[in-house]
Amino acid sequence: MAVAEIQLAHLTCIFMQLFTISRSETVLNFMGHGEELGRHRPPEGHVEVMETLPSSREFWERFASKRNPVLFRGIGETFPAFRLWTDEYMIENFGDLKIKIEGKTEKDYYPEGELGVAQDTIRHFLETYQRDNKYVVSQLPDRLSPDVTVLPFLNCGTFKERLLEANLWMSSGGTKSLLHRDADNAINCLLNGTKDWVMIDPAHEDLIPIAKEDVDAYGGFSLLNPDSVDLEKYPSFQEVPWTYVNMTAGDCLFLPYGYWHQVRSYGEKNLAVSVLFSRLREVDLAECETGPPPEPIRLSDSQMVFRYDGYGDQTMGNTDPFELQEQFTELCEEHGFLREDIMRQALSEGYNEFDDETIQPVDLDLDIIEDTAKQMMTVLDPEGTGEVPCDKMIALKLDTLTLLADIMDNDPANTEGYEYAKFDPEEISELISTLVGEARYESMTINPDEFVQRYQSIGGSAKIAKEVLGILNPEEKREITVDDIFQNLPAVLEKFDKKMKAEITSAALEWGNALREHATTWHTEGDINISKEKGKPGPASKEGLNEPMDKQETLHVTIDSKSKSRSTEHTHEEL
């Protein structure tokens, strides 16, 4: 080798060593790189803690209007649920009620329950949750609502008219959410176990890498892996200040809409309920101040909009119907009337607009948008005139608005039909084709038990597998012939041709891509060591961090279908 070539190779080697050292030093300078969320810098302190409840006026002026979180220490101990909801009591009194379940890791997978994938009964969940990786993230069944209390400052004026829904969270501990934000305000009350929250004011969200899923400007999740934050890829996050919340059983947290948070739960049984209410620009509290002081009431006696009987489909995550009316009215006034084409365009923009940046989800389904617009116009224009006048939009009743919200946000994950939407017909066809191919070389028949096992191996449930068998094998033969399969397969594939909302699959896809470089397993050891001593955290100053409300409003009128990452502890603590 020539001397020049040797020298060049030597210089290249030195350069590569220096580059590697420099790169390593740069990474090492990122405090918390590759560590769990919250290690990137010391916390600013604990959010404000109150030992007594504020008046409705104080709650609005100090917290809700400014989107400042606050912890109410021990107030949940007054709820009947706090002493009643043992496993034995819930099995005996509520065991037959249907709930939604997820894996303990957000956006990980949906486990199998007694009623199918993501669907379980309270009885079956409580009999299995200590050994299985599953977590209740569900709308609260109505029969449980008498045991939950609406805090008095929400039981008067505008607040009592804008209660939206209640949710149930239950696990054996060890759950962790993504860093995410929710579309509505929430009062989250812990009844068993402990929770730690990492809280980030939305004023700093320009420093957070946000997944551009199909959400409005207030919901969504971050691309950060909360177990291994990549500060080399997202260096701006190192500048993000954060506060924390330590919750013990009996504490209630006010979580403002759009406030970024990540939740970790602990304890052999971790149980919480949350009551959601509208994100409000203004309130009328005259009733709260001129009449008798508001009293706490049972949730069952409240004016909550979305209720769930515990047997049918849930409406968890549906759009606020009051905001929906505002959006419809603005859209109508912009055009002078509403037509299906205007509705369709507004829905398309709502699905694609994210914080003033236009995006196109990889699996945006225009057929879903068109079908949604048709259904909504059928409700708004039952006479079929083709146009809806604006005065009719302004006069819409609440029951009509909730029906429209359900059409717009119809989420298969809220139904027992979720499993039929989860799998593509092609996946089911491939599974059955494989079994048929094996049968051709053997007995030309398929054993029903073998089909159930194969279907479960791809993430399905025994319940739906047996429903499919009922179509493939209506005569309940001990062995299913290939001819039976060919004859009945089209009916099976038609069942799996349901449309999945684009936001579900695109969110999972983007999160999956974000994790590929840092695939880690959730753990509960070695979490951030933050004080849990009651009454000791100092209030964190939030002055100057929140933008005025009018700066947060969207000027361009779209109809936003909101996703609560259920959440979001999953889209998921609230999520």
Side-chain angles (χ1 to χ4, degrees), residues 319-339 342-344 346-347 372-373 376-377 379-380 388-390 392-394 396 400-405 407-408 557-560:
T319 296
D320 183 335
F322 303 101
E323 288 194 3
L324 186 59
Q325 185 174 36
E326 292 177 7
Q327 292 174 338
F328 275 133
T329 301
E330 289 180 32
L331 187 64
C332 191
E333 291 174 348
E334 184 179 314
H335 296 275
F337 50 79
L338 273 187
R339 290 198 313 257
I342 297 172
M343 185 82 70
R344 185 167 57 247
L347 285 169
T372 300
M376 295 178 83
M377 283 301 294
V379 173
L380 293 171
V388 182
C390 295
K392 185 173 183 178
M393 301 304 307
I394 296 171
L396 287 177
T400 302
L401 290 167
T402 55
L403 175 59
L404 291 170
I407 292 172
M408 190 166 76
V557 180
T558 63
I559 298 177
D560 291 320

Side-chain angles (χ1 to χ4, degrees), residues 4 9 13 16 23 80 120 170 199 243 268 282 290 325 347 376 416 426 438 453 465 529:
C13 181
M16 291 303 295
R23 186 172 183 271
D120 211 344
M170 184 161 46
M199 308 281 285
T243 55
E268 291 185 1
E282 56 186 22
T290 58
Q325 185 174 36
L347 285 169
M376 295 178 83
E416 288 189 42
E426 292 77 12
E438 294 172 359
Q453 293 173 9
N529 183 18

Side-chain angles (χ1 to χ4, degrees), residues 69-363:
V70 57
L71 183 71
F72 303 116
R73 185 73 79 189
I75 192 61
E77 295 178 9
T78 63
F79 291 16
F82 186 81
R83 57 181 175 80
L84 291 176
W85 286 3
T86 63
D87 288 2
E88 296 74 20
Y89 180 89
M90 296 185 79
I91 288 173
E92 180 179 351
N93 292 276
F94 313 126
D96 60 322
L97 300 178
K98 184 174 67 173
I99 49 175
K100 285 173 58 178
I101 57 173
E102 301 180 359
K104 290 185 176 182
T105 301
E106 185 168 9
K107 297 193 185 297
D108 181 12
Y109 83 112
Y110 287 97
E112 178 180 355
E114 184 176 12
L115 302 176
V117 170
Q119 305 290 321
D120 211 344
T121 61
I122 288 180
R123 176 183 295 104
H124 184 262
F125 176 84
L126 290 173
E127 290 172 348
T128 57
Y129 79 113
Q130 290 293 342
R131 68 170 186 266
D132 293 346
N133 175 12
K134 56 184 181 180
Y135 175 32
V136 173
V137 182
S138 178
Q139 197 166 357
L140 185 76
D142 291 340
R143 273 172 40 200
L144 282 73
S145 62
D147 296 340
V148 177
T149 301
V150 177
L151 301 184
F153 57 77
L154 292 181
N155 188 32
C156 67
T158 303
F159 288 130
K160 75 175 182 181
E161 299 168 357
R162 301 295 291 268
L163 300 181
L164 297 176
E165 70 177 54
N167 297 326
L168 176 69
W169 313 87
M170 184 161 46
S171 73
S172 59
T175 67
K176 290 187 180 182
S177 74
L178 302 179
L179 177 63
H180 64 284
R181 58 184 179 181
D182 300 319
D184 299 312
N185 292 304
I187 301 290
N188 189 296
C189 294
L190 186 63
L191 304 177
N192 285 95
T194 61
K195 288 185 186 292
D196 290 337
W197 301 60
V198 172
M199 308 281 285
I200 298 175
D201 192 291
H204 306 293
E205 65 185 27
D206 59 326
L207 302 174
I208 300 173
I210 302 173
K212 293 175 175 58
E213 61 171 327
D214 306 310
V215 298
D216 62 17
Y218 302 100
F221 67 94
S222 167
L223 291 173
L224 293 172
N225 180 345
D227 254 6
S228 180
V229 177
D230 190 343
L231 292 175
E232 185 180 19
K233 186 175 183 180
Y234 306 114
S236 63
F237 187 74
Q238 193 176 34
E239 303 173 26
V240 176
W242 63 283
T243 55
Y244 64 89
V245 179
N246 298 141
M247 291 184 77
T248 57
D251 293 343
C252 293
L253 173 69
F254 166 58
L255 179 67
Y257 76 89
Y259 212 95
W260 290 91
H261 58 285
Q262 191 240 352
V263 192
R264 307 158 188 176
S265 64
Y266 311 93
E268 291 185 1
K269 178 179 180 180
N270 198 282
L271 175 63
V273 292
S274 57
V275 175
L276 278 55
F277 63 99
S278 297
R279 49 196 190 205
L280 300 166
R281 299 183 184 90
E282 56 186 22
V283 293
D284 179 359
L285 301 179
E287 175 193 3
C288 312
E289 297 167 332
T290 58
E295 297 287 337
I297 62 169
R298 294 179 175 184
L299 182 62
S300 54
D301 296 331
S302 73
Q303 300 177 30
M304 187 170 63
V305 173
F306 294 109
R307 295 184 179 273
Y308 169 52
D309 64 8
Y311 300 102
D313 295 341
Q314 298 190 22
T315 55
M316 188 176 184
N318 277 11
T319 296
D320 183 335
F322 303 101
E323 288 194 3
L324 186 59
Q325 185 174 36
E326 292 177 7
Q327 292 174 338
F328 275 133
T329 301
E330 289 180 32
L331 187 64
C332 191
E333 291 174 348
E334 184 179 314
H335 296 275
F337 50 79
L338 273 187
R339 290 198 313 257
E340 186 179 317
D341 60 330
I342 297 172
M343 185 82 70
R344 185 167 57 247
Q345 178 63 27
L347 285 169
S348 299
E349 293 174 356
Y351 273 104
N352 283 277
E353 190 174 357
F354 184 91
D355 288 352
D356 300 323
E357 180 177 352
T358 299
I359 63 167
Q360 182 74 24
V362 294
D363 56 356

Side-chain angles (χ1 to χ4, degrees), residues 450-474:
E450 174 67 13
F451 175 81
V452 172
Q453 293 173 9
R454 291 290 189 92
Y455 180 74
Q456 288 180 295
S457 73
I458 65 170
S461 69
K463 178 180 182 292
I464 299 301
K466 291 173 182 177
E467 288 184 12
V468 171
L469 280 175
I471 301 173
L472 291 175
N473 183 27

Side-chain angles (χ1 to χ4, degrees), residues 360-535:
Q360 182 74 24
V362 294
D363 56 356
L364 176 66
D365 196 324
L366 296 178
D367 290 339
I368 293 178
I369 292 176
E370 182 173 355
D371 185 56
T372 300
K374 285 182 182 295
Q375 291 185 54
M376 295 178 83
M377 283 301 294
T378 299
V379 173
L380 293 171
D381 181 30
E383 299 84 8
T385 62
E387 292 185 358
V388 182
C390 295
D391 58 350
K392 185 173 183 178
M393 301 304 307
I394 296 171
L396 287 177
K397 302 296 184 183
L398 183 58
D399 57 350
T400 302
L401 290 167
T402 55
L403 175 59
L404 291 170
D406 200 37
I407 292 172
M408 190 166 76
D409 292 309
N410 185 23
D411 184 351
N414 278 334
T415 73
E416 288 189 42
Y418 165 72
E419 203 166 329
Y420 289 115
K422 173 186 176 183
F423 295 111
D424 291 327
E426 292 77 12
E427 293 178 88
I428 303 304
S429 181
E430 181 179 351
L431 171 67
I432 294 175
S433 296
T434 299
L435 289 169
V436 169
E438 294 172 359
R440 287 187 185 280
Y441 291 100
E442 297 176 3
S443 61
M444 296 296 290
T445 61
I446 294 176
N447 183 283
D449 292 339
E450 174 67 13
F451 175 81
V452 172
Q453 293 173 9
R454 291 290 189 92
Y455 180 74
Q456 288 180 295
S457 73
I458 65 170
S461 69
K463 178 180 182 292
I464 299 301
K466 291 173 182 177
E467 288 184 12
V468 171
L469 280 175
I471 301 173
L472 291 175
N473 183 27
E475 298 178 9
E476 299 184 2
K477 301 175 184 176
R478 294 183 64 182
E479 300 287 340
I480 312 172
T481 67
V482 172
D483 288 340
D484 290 333
I485 290 174
F486 284 141
Q487 180 178 347
N488 298 311
L489 182 59
V492 169
L493 298 184
E494 185 178 351
K495 293 276 286 184
F496 286 91
D497 200 26
K498 292 191 175 184
K499 295 291 186 181
M500 173 70 80
K501 282 194 70 177
E503 65 191 47
I504 300 172
T505 49
S506 62
L509 177 64
E510 184 161 13
W511 174 240
N513 290 337
L515 279 189
R516 281 201 179 97
E517 295 181 10
H518 297 284
T520 60
T521 302
W522 295 117
H523 56 82
T524 56
E525 299 297 326
D527 289 321
I528 296 174
N529 183 18
I530 44 186
S531 171
K532 291 185 171 59
E533 187 176 355
K534 280 197 174 186

